[in-house]
Amino acid sequence: MICRYCGTDIADKALICYKCGNATTEARIVPPSRSHKKRRQVTVVVVVAIIVLLLLLAWRLGFVR
Ligand SMILES: [Zn+2]
């Protein structure tokens, strides 16, 4: 087969291109949908953390001088 990343002709059974090191098969190990879900969870955590920090800041500015 031919590596889709660098175009090198590699063995059909090869899992990784010997030249560029990229996996020859589709990302079956880490499905795209799963990684998207994980990324979304991280985004939610970051947004919640920012909201909590803003609330804490507002509380401190409002009640503690
Ligand atoms: Zn390659």
Side-chain angles (χ1 to χ4, degrees):
M1 71 173 88
I2 292 169
C3 174
R4 67 174 126 159
Y5 296 99
C6 65
T8 305
D9 192 16
I10 49 174
D12 289 347
K13 290 179 181 177
L15 296 172
I16 297 168
C17 173
Y18 67 87
K19 196 170 185 183
C20 67
N22 282 305
T24 55
T25 52
E26 191 60 50
R28 286 172 189 164
I29 301 163
V30 182
S33 58
R34 202 174 175 184
S35 63
H36 275 295
K37 206 173 183 182
K38 214 169 189 178
R39 210 174 292 163
R40 201 182 292 168
Q41 281 177 335
V42 171
T43 308
V44 168
V45 169
V46 169
V47 168
V48 168
I50 289 167
I51 289 168
V52 168
L53 279 169
L54 283 171
L55 283 171
L56 199 71
L57 193 71
W59 180 80
R60 282 185 66 91
L61 287 171
F63 294 97
V64 181
R65 289 188 181 179

